[in-house]
Amino acid sequence: MAFVPNLEREIGLAAVAEDHRVGGSTPRFYIETYGCQMNFNDSEIIAAILTKHGYHPTEDFHLADLILLNTCSIRENAEQRVRARLGEFHAIKRRRPGLLIGVLGCMAERLKSKLLEEEHIVDLVIGPDAYRSLPALIAQAESGQKAINVLLSREETYADISPVRLASNGVNAFISIMRGCNNMCSFCVVPFTRGRERSRPPASILREARELFDLGYREVTLLGQNVDSYRWEDPATHTVVTFAQLLAQVAAISPKLRIRFSTSHPKDITDDVLFTMADHPNICRYIHLPVQSGSSAVLQRMFRNYDAEWYRRKVDRIREVLPDCALSTDIIVGFCGETEDDHQKTLEMMDYVRYHQAFMFRYSERPGTYAARHFADDVPDDVKARRLQEVIQLQNQHQLQRNREQIGKIHEVLVEGPSRRSANQLAGRNSQNQMIVFDAGQARKGEYVFVQVTGCTSATLLGTLSPTSTPSTN
Ligand code: 5AD
Ligand code: SF4
């Protein structure tokens, strides 16, 4: 499986200052999102569908007539968090029996009607391909019947729906270019929860990107579980658009629009994509290339379709074509049968690549996957924890080294907004996706500025605005 960084974040919505059904007339929904950026983008599609049907968003669940949890199944703890949250909503539902509670997304798809049996406060269960049926299912639930739709589709891409941008900074936005996943990584539940892979028509992607640019957005991230297998065939002309071609078309919208994409599968990313990046300075020098493990034996059991040597050669090739390209990764420690020697190979791989960023997880067995059915989850918890700690520690060292190497250099930064720590400072990222915090000066959100790096932590670069308008080469 190829993936976007798993942020597991919760999304609040801007409150709308109007009356509501809890004492008013306009029904309100509250949505909380767990999991990946694709799921976050799905919540924006859900918000668009609900808004069209007369619902308004609220960021305060006490004011909501409808509470939705858009859930993730990737690891057991993602599901546990949702169940704990449902527990917290019990008291509110007891006080307000008219309140509807829905579980959407991957956990809904995985557990289906079992969720209704296990979690009595849930009224709606809706899988990732069934969001268009939300209004009908809400009507059914309002009449007192539990409502469920977990049908997966081979066609649904929500291509015609313009997402309502939630919790947006007005600078960065996500665009889903495909859905589902045809890889069958043995550890991964996603093919079961998100179904078969399908690509969205390029015209609708380009329309959405242009609309965002016209609204002032300056960075779009093209999302898919495996973007390199994006493929659209025009039904009339049979002309095919590949991911590399799509990238070039989005990049042509404006040199002022930055393009990112996620996730690339090491076995699928092509030279065409690398050359397209090299041709377009506005396609960011950053590739999320999950390795999962540095041991070929483990990779084979994971059904990743590459070995460690092949992955290293891919990294070399990326650096040959794009010398200034940053790489990030996902790593799973403690997969079935992982020995101490396998673990060392993962650390060696990290030393070889020196990733700019890494998302690191301990293996969590997911019911129904190939690994759950055929391999023993045999690495003890304390060993998984220790290996994870070692991987995190090494990654911190690499990030700190990489950030220190930037001191004195000048970077072009897209300003995203105030820094978290101080209103006098702004934060933004360079093309390599490194966060840079600097004194605000005259700079504004959505502008490109040049910043000279003066210091760093392992997570962030610190700098000052530079009068020079030429970035240093990395
Ligand atoms: N256990 C732990 N981590 C997992 N991932 C996917 N499935 C599992 C699992 N069963 C990780 C992979 C993937 C990222 C999004 O989540 O590293 O790339
Ligand atoms: Fe995203 Fe679903 Fe995978 Fe979670 S299980 S990371 S929500 S695709």
Side-chain angles (χ1 to χ4, degrees):
M1 178 199 63
F3 247 91
V4 284
N6 195 306
L7 298 179
E8 301 209 343
R9 54 182 154 176
E10 296 167 13
I11 311 299
L13 302 183
V16 179
E18 278 175 51
D19 65 345
H20 55 89
R21 259 221 300 237
V22 188
S25 62
T26 311
R28 289 182 171 212
F29 71 97
Y30 166 88
I31 186 163
E32 218 166 78
T33 309
Y34 298 79
C36 59
Q37 289 166 332
M38 283 214 79
N39 223 32
F40 174 38
N41 191 232
D42 277 5
S43 288
E44 301 184 319
I45 289 166
I46 292 161
I49 293 169
L50 288 173
T51 309
K52 198 165 163 225
H53 280 81
Y55 274 80
H56 281 288
T58 174
E59 61 183 6
D60 180 354
F61 60 77
H62 293 104
L63 300 179
D65 305 283
L66 173 64
I67 292 179
L68 299 175
L69 302 184
N70 189 10
T71 61
C72 175
S73 281
I74 198 104
R75 283 169 288 277
E76 199 185 341
N77 71 349
E79 294 198 358
Q80 281 165 352
R81 287 175 59 208
V82 169
R83 290 195 190 262
R85 194 66 170 142
L86 288 171
E88 288 168 28
F89 289 139
H90 258 290
I92 307 173
K93 177 99 170 171
R94 217 173 294 128
R95 267 183 271 128
R96 293 186 17 226
L99 170 69
L100 294 182
I101 297 186
V103 175
L104 278 52
C106 291
M107 196 174 160
E109 191 62 51
R110 194 180 82 73
L111 292 166
K112 303 186 171 56
S113 57
K114 259 213 285 192
L115 247 178
L116 292 173
E117 290 154 26
E118 292 171 4
E119 302 286 348
H120 293 292
I121 65 164
V122 175
D123 304 290
L124 299 150
V125 171
I126 308 178
D129 287 344
Y131 297 143
R132 285 182 203 267
S133 64
L134 246 168
L137 295 174
I138 291 171
Q140 183 180 335
E142 277 175 341
S143 75
Q145 265 179 290
K146 301 263 180 192
I148 177 165
N149 186 349
V150 287
L151 285 177
L152 286 174
S153 156
R154 281 180 176 251
E155 283 94 36
E156 182 62 273
T157 58
Y158 301 108
D160 55 313
I161 295 179
S162 292
V164 167
R165 302 291 163 184
L166 302 175
S168 166
N169 62 4
V171 179
N172 323 93
F174 299 123
I175 302 180
S176 293
I177 61 164
M178 57 201 297
R179 297 180 72 82
C181 186
N182 285 0
N183 290 325
M184 274 290 171
C185 299
S186 60
F187 53 78
C188 188
V189 77
V190 173
F192 304 96
T193 62
R194 290 197 163 251
R196 304 291 293 169
E197 192 175 275
R198 64 221 99 120
S199 297
R200 180 178 166 188
S204 73
I205 297 167
L206 288 165
R207 175 190 43 78
E208 194 173 326
R210 270 193 216 103
E211 279 171 11
L212 287 164
F213 184 73
D214 291 343
L215 286 169
Y217 286 83
R218 289 294 173 264
E219 184 180 292
V220 293
T221 303
L222 308 181
L223 294 179
Q225 259 84 22
N226 183 5
V227 289
D228 304 291
S229 51
Y230 176 89
R231 188 179 183 279
W232 169 259
E233 186 174 330
D234 188 303
T237 62
H238 299 291
T239 322
V240 169
V241 177
T242 63
F243 180 58
Q245 289 162 339
L246 178 75
L247 259 184
Q249 290 175 19
V250 180
I253 290 175
S254 166
K256 288 276 168 211
L257 181 67
R258 269 187 178 177
I259 324 297
R260 297 187 188 275
F261 55 89
S262 197
T263 291
S264 303
H265 195 299
K267 79 174 164 52
D268 292 329
I269 187 166
T270 60
D271 269 2
D272 272 354
V273 167
L274 303 182
F275 294 144
T276 305
M277 292 174 76
D279 286 345
H280 295 86
N282 59 330
I283 305 180
C284 290
R285 285 1 190 188
Y286 175 83
I287 299 176
H288 185 59
L289 197 71
V291 65
Q292 310 299 358
S293 167
S295 153
S296 296
V298 173
L299 288 169
Q300 196 173 17
R301 280 198 298 281
M302 287 178 162
F303 300 160
R304 291 289 290 176
N305 291 316
Y306 56 83
D307 63 14
E309 200 34 51
W310 198 91
Y311 185 93
R312 278 194 183 90
R313 283 207 303 273
K314 186 56 81 177
V315 169
D316 295 344
R317 180 68 179 150
I318 292 171
R319 294 194 166 145
E320 199 180 309
V321 181
L322 300 161
D324 57 347
C325 189
L327 291 172
S328 65
T329 199
D330 292 343
I331 291 173
I332 298 178
V333 301
F335 185 61
C336 313
E338 186 190 69
T339 62
E340 212 48 46
D341 183 52
D342 292 323
H343 172 58
Q344 287 306 319
K345 290 193 166 118
T346 297
L347 298 173
E348 281 164 24
M349 178 66 86
M350 293 175 74
D351 278 331
Y352 185 81
V353 184
R354 290 207 309 137
Y355 292 103
H356 277 66
Q357 217 182 342
F359 301 87
M360 299 153 284
F361 313 101
R362 64 177 89 177
Y363 173 60
S364 157
E365 184 175 275
R366 305 313 290 135
T369 56
Y370 187 92
R373 286 182 287 122
H374 297 276
F375 305 140
D377 180 9
D378 54 0
V379 178
D381 277 349
D382 58 332
V383 175
K384 283 183 185 170
R386 194 250 308 148
R387 289 181 187 168
L388 183 61
Q389 232 12 68
E390 287 175 8
V391 164
I392 291 173
Q393 216 169 7
L394 185 59
Q395 180 56 28
N396 282 340
Q397 276 175 29
H398 288 158
Q399 277 182 218
L400 188 61
Q401 278 169 5
R402 283 214 174 267
N403 284 353
R404 282 195 180 136
E405 287 162 13
Q406 298 310 315
I407 292 177
K409 293 195 177 159
I410 295 172
H411 290 266
E412 187 175 29
V413 174
L414 172 60
V415 184
E416 295 181 9
S419 90
R420 259 190 247 159
R421 295 240 178 96
S422 153
N424 299 327
Q425 290 191 312
L426 290 170
R429 280 171 299 147
N430 61 7
S431 179
Q432 288 76 13
N433 211 28
Q434 289 168 297
M435 185 60 76
I436 305 190
V437 172
F438 55 96
D439 287 337
Q442 300 299 309
R444 298 237 182 85
K445 192 167 94 167
E447 281 176 3
Y448 290 94
V449 293
F450 289 89
V451 178
Q452 182 160 36
V453 179
T454 53
C456 69
T457 66
S458 64
T460 312
L461 298 173
L462 310 167
T464 52
L465 279 171
S466 162
T468 318
S469 58
T470 332
S472 320
T473 44
N474 263 8

mmCIF file of all heavy atoms in Angstrom, residues 159 175-177 200-214 220 222 230 241 245-254 257 259:
data_model
loop_
_atom_site.group_PDB
_atom_site.id
_atom_site.type_symbol
_atom_site.label_atom_id
_atom_site.label_comp_id
_atom_site.label_asym_id
_atom_site.label_seq_id
_atom_site.Cartn_x
_atom_site.Cartn_y
_atom_site.Cartn_z
ATOM 1 N N ALA A 159 -16.035 13.083 -8.597
ATOM 2 C CA ALA A 159 -15.345 14.042 -9.472
ATOM 3 C C ALA A 159 -16.070 15.376 -9.573
ATOM 4 O O ALA A 159 -15.446 16.423 -9.683
ATOM 5 C CB ALA A 159 -15.185 13.440 -10.862
ATOM 6 N N ILE A 175 -6.223 17.640 -3.279
ATOM 7 C CA ILE A 175 -7.117 17.218 -4.368
ATOM 8 C C ILE A 175 -6.959 15.712 -4.538
ATOM 9 O O ILE A 175 -5.850 15.235 -4.837
ATOM 10 C CB ILE A 175 -6.750 17.925 -5.698
ATOM 11 C CG1 ILE A 175 -6.822 19.450 -5.546
ATOM 12 C CG2 ILE A 175 -7.657 17.448 -6.816
ATOM 13 C CD1 ILE A 175 -6.474 20.213 -6.833
ATOM 14 N N SER A 176 -8.030 14.953 -4.345
ATOM 15 C CA SER A 176 -7.943 13.503 -4.581
ATOM 16 C C SER A 176 -7.973 13.257 -6.073
ATOM 17 O O SER A 176 -8.868 13.753 -6.762
ATOM 18 C CB SER A 176 -9.119 12.781 -3.929
ATOM 19 O OG SER A 176 -9.019 12.889 -2.536
ATOM 20 N N ILE A 177 -7.008 12.501 -6.581
ATOM 21 C CA ILE A 177 -6.982 12.221 -8.022
ATOM 22 C C ILE A 177 -7.403 10.787 -8.322
ATOM 23 O O ILE A 177 -7.631 10.427 -9.464
ATOM 24 C CB ILE A 177 -5.593 12.503 -8.636
ATOM 25 C CG1 ILE A 177 -4.505 11.613 -8.010
ATOM 26 C CG2 ILE A 177 -5.224 13.984 -8.495
ATOM 27 C CD1 ILE A 177 -3.218 11.577 -8.829
ATOM 28 N N ARG A 200 -9.672 9.562 -11.334
ATOM 29 C CA ARG A 200 -10.646 10.631 -11.573
ATOM 30 C C ARG A 200 -10.323 11.322 -12.906
ATOM 31 O O ARG A 200 -9.143 11.508 -13.222
ATOM 32 C CB ARG A 200 -10.505 11.601 -10.406
ATOM 33 C CG ARG A 200 -11.394 12.767 -10.446
ATOM 34 C CD ARG A 200 -11.176 13.607 -9.188
ATOM 35 N NE ARG A 200 -11.796 14.885 -9.374
ATOM 36 C CZ ARG A 200 -11.682 15.919 -8.554
ATOM 37 N NH1 ARG A 200 -10.952 15.801 -7.448
ATOM 38 N NH2 ARG A 200 -12.284 17.045 -8.809
ATOM 39 N N PRO A 201 -11.338 11.738 -13.674
ATOM 40 C CA PRO A 201 -11.057 12.376 -14.962
ATOM 41 C C PRO A 201 -10.165 13.613 -14.795
ATOM 42 O O PRO A 201 -10.398 14.425 -13.906
ATOM 43 C CB PRO A 201 -12.443 12.803 -15.478
ATOM 44 C CG PRO A 201 -13.422 12.016 -14.681
ATOM 45 C CD PRO A 201 -12.770 11.632 -13.400
ATOM 46 N N PRO A 202 -9.138 13.759 -15.662
ATOM 47 C CA PRO A 202 -8.199 14.872 -15.500
ATOM 48 C C PRO A 202 -8.881 16.235 -15.586
ATOM 49 O O PRO A 202 -8.467 17.172 -14.891
ATOM 50 C CB PRO A 202 -7.193 14.682 -16.643
ATOM 51 C CG PRO A 202 -7.734 13.613 -17.512
ATOM 52 C CD PRO A 202 -8.763 12.851 -16.773
ATOM 53 N N ALA A 203 -9.916 16.345 -16.429
ATOM 54 C CA ALA A 203 -10.565 17.661 -16.593
ATOM 55 C C ALA A 203 -11.105 18.152 -15.246
ATOM 56 O O ALA A 203 -11.001 19.342 -14.921
ATOM 57 C CB ALA A 203 -11.683 17.570 -17.634
ATOM 58 N N SER A 204 -11.671 17.241 -14.443
ATOM 59 C CA SER A 204 -12.249 17.676 -13.163
ATOM 60 C C SER A 204 -11.142 18.022 -12.160
ATOM 61 O O SER A 204 -11.304 18.904 -11.314
ATOM 62 C CB SER A 204 -13.192 16.609 -12.602
ATOM 63 O OG SER A 204 -12.460 15.519 -12.104
ATOM 64 N N ILE A 205 -10.000 17.363 -12.273
ATOM 65 C CA ILE A 205 -8.864 17.678 -11.388
ATOM 66 C C ILE A 205 -8.315 19.059 -11.731
ATOM 67 O O ILE A 205 -8.070 19.898 -10.853
ATOM 68 C CB ILE A 205 -7.759 16.604 -11.536
ATOM 69 C CG1 ILE A 205 -8.287 15.240 -11.088
ATOM 70 C CG2 ILE A 205 -6.505 16.993 -10.762
ATOM 71 C CD1 ILE A 205 -7.409 14.068 -11.475
ATOM 72 N N LEU A 206 -8.169 19.305 -13.043
ATOM 73 C CA LEU A 206 -7.631 20.601 -13.484
ATOM 74 C C LEU A 206 -8.589 21.732 -13.129
ATOM 75 O O LEU A 206 -8.164 22.808 -12.702
ATOM 76 C CB LEU A 206 -7.389 20.574 -14.996
ATOM 77 C CG LEU A 206 -6.201 19.700 -15.398
ATOM 78 C CD1 LEU A 206 -6.210 19.392 -16.888
ATOM 79 C CD2 LEU A 206 -4.889 20.392 -15.019
ATOM 80 N N ARG A 207 -9.898 21.468 -13.269
ATOM 81 C CA ARG A 207 -10.884 22.500 -12.907
ATOM 82 C C ARG A 207 -10.747 22.855 -11.429
ATOM 83 O O ARG A 207 -10.677 24.029 -11.062
ATOM 84 C CB ARG A 207 -12.311 21.996 -13.215
ATOM 85 C CG ARG A 207 -13.395 22.968 -12.754
ATOM 86 C CD ARG A 207 -14.817 22.402 -12.814
ATOM 87 N NE ARG A 207 -15.002 21.036 -12.343
ATOM 88 C CZ ARG A 207 -15.074 20.646 -11.080
ATOM 89 N NH1 ARG A 207 -14.948 21.517 -10.097
ATOM 90 N NH2 ARG A 207 -15.247 19.371 -10.762
ATOM 91 N N GLU A 208 -10.650 21.821 -10.596
ATOM 92 C CA GLU A 208 -10.550 22.073 -9.154
ATOM 93 C C GLU A 208 -9.264 22.830 -8.817
ATOM 94 O O GLU A 208 -9.282 23.783 -8.012
ATOM 95 C CB GLU A 208 -10.594 20.739 -8.399
ATOM 96 C CG GLU A 208 -10.838 20.916 -6.917
ATOM 97 C CD GLU A 208 -11.053 19.572 -6.205
ATOM 98 O OE1 GLU A 208 -11.630 18.648 -6.803
ATOM 99 O OE2 GLU A 208 -10.628 19.473 -5.047
ATOM 100 N N ALA A 209 -8.164 22.455 -9.446
ATOM 101 C CA ALA A 209 -6.881 23.130 -9.164
ATOM 102 C C ALA A 209 -6.946 24.594 -9.609
ATOM 103 O O ALA A 209 -6.485 25.487 -8.898
ATOM 104 C CB ALA A 209 -5.739 22.403 -9.864
ATOM 105 N N ARG A 210 -7.544 24.832 -10.780
ATOM 106 C CA ARG A 210 -7.661 26.230 -11.269
ATOM 107 C C ARG A 210 -8.530 27.059 -10.347
ATOM 108 O O ARG A 210 -8.196 28.190 -10.011
ATOM 109 C CB ARG A 210 -8.276 26.251 -12.675
ATOM 110 C CG ARG A 210 -7.231 26.164 -13.730
ATOM 111 C CD ARG A 210 -7.780 26.490 -15.118
ATOM 112 N NE ARG A 210 -7.104 25.628 -16.066
ATOM 113 C CZ ARG A 210 -7.619 24.547 -16.623
ATOM 114 N NH1 ARG A 210 -8.876 24.199 -16.381
ATOM 115 N NH2 ARG A 210 -6.918 23.815 -17.446
ATOM 116 N N GLU A 211 -9.658 26.457 -9.909
ATOM 117 C CA GLU A 211 -10.555 27.187 -8.996
ATOM 118 C C GLU A 211 -9.811 27.554 -7.711
ATOM 119 O O GLU A 211 -9.931 28.670 -7.216
ATOM 120 C CB GLU A 211 -11.766 26.322 -8.635
ATOM 121 C CG GLU A 211 -12.853 26.324 -9.700
ATOM 122 C CD GLU A 211 -13.934 25.273 -9.403
ATOM 123 O OE1 GLU A 211 -13.966 24.694 -8.288
ATOM 124 O OE2 GLU A 211 -14.732 25.034 -10.322
ATOM 125 N N LEU A 212 -9.039 26.623 -7.204
ATOM 126 C CA LEU A 212 -8.295 26.889 -5.969
ATOM 127 C C LEU A 212 -7.290 28.019 -6.184
ATOM 128 O O LEU A 212 -7.167 28.922 -5.357
ATOM 129 C CB LEU A 212 -7.575 25.620 -5.490
ATOM 130 C CG LEU A 212 -8.494 24.549 -4.900
ATOM 131 C CD1 LEU A 212 -7.779 23.199 -4.820
ATOM 132 C CD2 LEU A 212 -8.973 24.952 -3.501
ATOM 133 N N PHE A 213 -6.586 27.965 -7.317
ATOM 134 C CA PHE A 213 -5.603 29.016 -7.594
ATOM 135 C C PHE A 213 -6.301 30.379 -7.668
ATOM 136 O O PHE A 213 -5.828 31.365 -7.092
ATOM 137 C CB PHE A 213 -4.852 28.712 -8.899
ATOM 138 C CG PHE A 213 -3.772 29.712 -9.180
ATOM 139 C CD1 PHE A 213 -2.605 29.712 -8.437
ATOM 140 C CD2 PHE A 213 -3.932 30.684 -10.162
ATOM 141 C CE1 PHE A 213 -1.607 30.658 -8.659
ATOM 142 C CE2 PHE A 213 -2.940 31.635 -10.396
ATOM 143 C CZ PHE A 213 -1.778 31.613 -9.642
ATOM 144 N N ASP A 214 -7.457 30.409 -8.360
ATOM 145 C CA ASP A 214 -8.191 31.682 -8.489
ATOM 146 C C ASP A 214 -8.668 32.189 -7.134
ATOM 147 O O ASP A 214 -8.819 33.391 -6.927
ATOM 148 C CB ASP A 214 -9.387 31.520 -9.441
ATOM 149 C CG ASP A 214 -8.912 31.306 -10.877
ATOM 150 O OD1 ASP A 214 -7.729 31.608 -11.151
ATOM 151 O OD2 ASP A 214 -9.703 30.801 -11.704
ATOM 152 N N VAL A 220 -1.216 22.862 -4.068
ATOM 153 C CA VAL A 220 -2.159 21.740 -4.048
ATOM 154 C C VAL A 220 -1.382 20.440 -3.924
ATOM 155 O O VAL A 220 -0.299 20.296 -4.492
ATOM 156 C CB VAL A 220 -3.063 21.694 -5.313
ATOM 157 C CG1 VAL A 220 -4.002 22.887 -5.352
ATOM 158 C CG2 VAL A 220 -2.254 21.600 -6.597
ATOM 159 N N LEU A 222 -1.751 16.521 -4.712
ATOM 160 C CA LEU A 222 -2.550 15.520 -5.433
ATOM 161 C C LEU A 222 -2.468 14.210 -4.654
ATOM 162 O O LEU A 222 -1.375 13.703 -4.391
ATOM 163 C CB LEU A 222 -2.009 15.335 -6.852
ATOM 164 C CG LEU A 222 -1.842 16.623 -7.680
ATOM 165 C CD1 LEU A 222 -1.326 16.301 -9.083
ATOM 166 C CD2 LEU A 222 -3.162 17.401 -7.769
ATOM 167 N N TYR A 230 -2.000 6.230 -11.410
ATOM 168 C CA TYR A 230 -3.065 7.049 -11.999
ATOM 169 C C TYR A 230 -3.078 6.792 -13.510
ATOM 170 O O TYR A 230 -2.039 6.827 -14.173
ATOM 171 C CB TYR A 230 -2.816 8.553 -11.743
ATOM 172 C CG TYR A 230 -3.857 9.431 -12.417
ATOM 173 C CD1 TYR A 230 -5.036 9.772 -11.765
ATOM 174 C CD2 TYR A 230 -3.670 9.871 -13.735
ATOM 175 C CE1 TYR A 230 -6.007 10.538 -12.397
ATOM 176 C CE2 TYR A 230 -4.640 10.631 -14.374
ATOM 177 C CZ TYR A 230 -5.799 10.963 -13.693
ATOM 178 O OH TYR A 230 -6.764 11.707 -14.327
ATOM 179 N N VAL A 241 -4.152 9.444 -20.201
ATOM 180 C CA VAL A 241 -3.381 10.411 -19.419
ATOM 181 C C VAL A 241 -2.722 9.660 -18.265
ATOM 182 O O VAL A 241 -3.403 8.994 -17.480
ATOM 183 C CB VAL A 241 -4.287 11.549 -18.878
ATOM 184 C CG1 VAL A 241 -3.487 12.507 -17.996
ATOM 185 C CG2 VAL A 241 -4.944 12.310 -20.024
ATOM 186 N N GLN A 245 1.817 12.924 -17.015
ATOM 187 C CA GLN A 245 1.127 13.918 -17.858
ATOM 188 C C GLN A 245 0.190 14.783 -17.028
ATOM 189 O O GLN A 245 0.102 15.991 -17.223
ATOM 190 C CB GLN A 245 0.365 13.204 -18.985
ATOM 191 C CG GLN A 245 1.314 12.615 -20.020
ATOM 192 C CD GLN A 245 0.655 11.558 -20.901
ATOM 193 O OE1 GLN A 245 -0.369 10.967 -20.545
ATOM 194 N NE2 GLN A 245 1.257 11.307 -22.046
ATOM 195 N N LEU A 246 -0.504 14.153 -16.090
ATOM 196 C CA LEU A 246 -1.394 14.920 -15.224
ATOM 197 C C LEU A 246 -0.598 15.973 -14.438
ATOM 198 O O LEU A 246 -0.985 17.142 -14.336
ATOM 199 C CB LEU A 246 -2.127 13.982 -14.256
ATOM 200 C CG LEU A 246 -3.051 14.686 -13.269
ATOM 201 C CD1 LEU A 246 -4.329 15.165 -13.956
ATOM 202 C CD2 LEU A 246 -3.420 13.774 -12.096
ATOM 203 N N LEU A 247 0.537 15.543 -13.891
ATOM 204 C CA LEU A 247 1.395 16.465 -13.121
ATOM 205 C C LEU A 247 1.765 17.680 -13.981
ATOM 206 O O LEU A 247 1.666 18.821 -13.523
ATOM 207 C CB LEU A 247 2.704 15.748 -12.757
ATOM 208 C CG LEU A 247 2.893 15.182 -11.379
ATOM 209 C CD1 LEU A 247 4.302 14.631 -11.254
ATOM 210 C CD2 LEU A 247 2.645 16.208 -10.287
ATOM 211 N N ALA A 248 2.185 17.407 -15.217
ATOM 212 C CA ALA A 248 2.607 18.496 -16.114
ATOM 213 C C ALA A 248 1.437 19.443 -16.371
ATOM 214 O O ALA A 248 1.606 20.667 -16.388
ATOM 215 C CB ALA A 248 3.137 17.926 -17.422
ATOM 216 N N GLN A 249 0.224 18.884 -16.529
ATOM 217 C CA GLN A 249 -0.940 19.737 -16.819
ATOM 218 C C GLN A 249 -1.282 20.609 -15.611
ATOM 219 O O GLN A 249 -1.606 21.785 -15.755
ATOM 220 C CB GLN A 249 -2.149 18.880 -17.215
ATOM 221 C CG GLN A 249 -1.957 18.233 -18.592
ATOM 222 C CD GLN A 249 -3.086 17.272 -18.954
ATOM 223 O OE1 GLN A 249 -4.170 17.316 -18.377
ATOM 224 N NE2 GLN A 249 -2.829 16.416 -19.919
ATOM 225 N N VAL A 250 -1.215 20.031 -14.414
ATOM 226 C CA VAL A 250 -1.532 20.835 -13.218
ATOM 227 C C VAL A 250 -0.444 21.898 -13.025
ATOM 228 O O VAL A 250 -0.724 23.059 -12.704
ATOM 229 C CB VAL A 250 -1.681 19.949 -11.952
ATOM 230 C CG1 VAL A 250 -2.010 20.802 -10.733
ATOM 231 C CG2 VAL A 250 -2.761 18.898 -12.151
ATOM 232 N N ALA A 251 0.812 21.510 -13.265
ATOM 233 C CA ALA A 251 1.922 22.454 -13.074
ATOM 234 C C ALA A 251 1.826 23.631 -14.042
ATOM 235 O O ALA A 251 2.301 24.725 -13.745
ATOM 236 C CB ALA A 251 3.254 21.743 -13.245
ATOM 237 N N ALA A 252 1.186 23.404 -15.209
ATOM 238 C CA ALA A 252 1.089 24.465 -16.218
ATOM 239 C C ALA A 252 0.051 25.531 -15.842
ATOM 240 O O ALA A 252 -0.016 26.581 -16.475
ATOM 241 C CB ALA A 252 0.755 23.852 -17.576
ATOM 242 N N ILE A 253 -0.756 25.290 -14.809
ATOM 243 C CA ILE A 253 -1.788 26.268 -14.434
ATOM 244 C C ILE A 253 -1.139 27.604 -14.106
ATOM 245 O O ILE A 253 -1.566 28.660 -14.583
ATOM 246 C CB ILE A 253 -2.635 25.753 -13.245
ATOM 247 C CG1 ILE A 253 -3.502 24.589 -13.740
ATOM 248 C CG2 ILE A 253 -3.500 26.866 -12.635
ATOM 249 C CD1 ILE A 253 -4.312 23.905 -12.647
ATOM 250 N N SER A 254 -0.083 27.588 -13.304
ATOM 251 C CA SER A 254 0.653 28.819 -13.016
ATOM 252 C C SER A 254 1.980 28.456 -12.347
ATOM 253 O O SER A 254 2.022 27.562 -11.502
ATOM 254 C CB SER A 254 -0.146 29.724 -12.066
ATOM 255 O OG SER A 254 0.704 30.728 -11.547
ATOM 256 N N LEU A 257 1.771 28.335 -8.621
ATOM 257 C CA LEU A 257 1.064 27.270 -7.903
ATOM 258 C C LEU A 257 2.037 26.123 -7.666
ATOM 259 O O LEU A 257 2.573 25.542 -8.610
ATOM 260 C CB LEU A 257 -0.132 26.770 -8.726
ATOM 261 C CG LEU A 257 -0.971 25.676 -8.059
ATOM 262 C CD1 LEU A 257 -1.698 26.197 -6.820
ATOM 263 C CD2 LEU A 257 -1.994 25.095 -9.047
ATOM 264 N N ILE A 259 2.980 22.346 -6.609
ATOM 265 C CA ILE A 259 2.314 21.045 -6.691
ATOM 266 C C ILE A 259 3.084 20.054 -5.810
ATOM 267 O O ILE A 259 4.300 19.939 -5.913
ATOM 268 C CB ILE A 259 2.326 20.469 -8.135
ATOM 269 C CG1 ILE A 259 2.180 21.548 -9.206
ATOM 270 C CG2 ILE A 259 1.297 19.354 -8.296
ATOM 271 C CD1 ILE A 259 0.926 22.317 -9.204
#
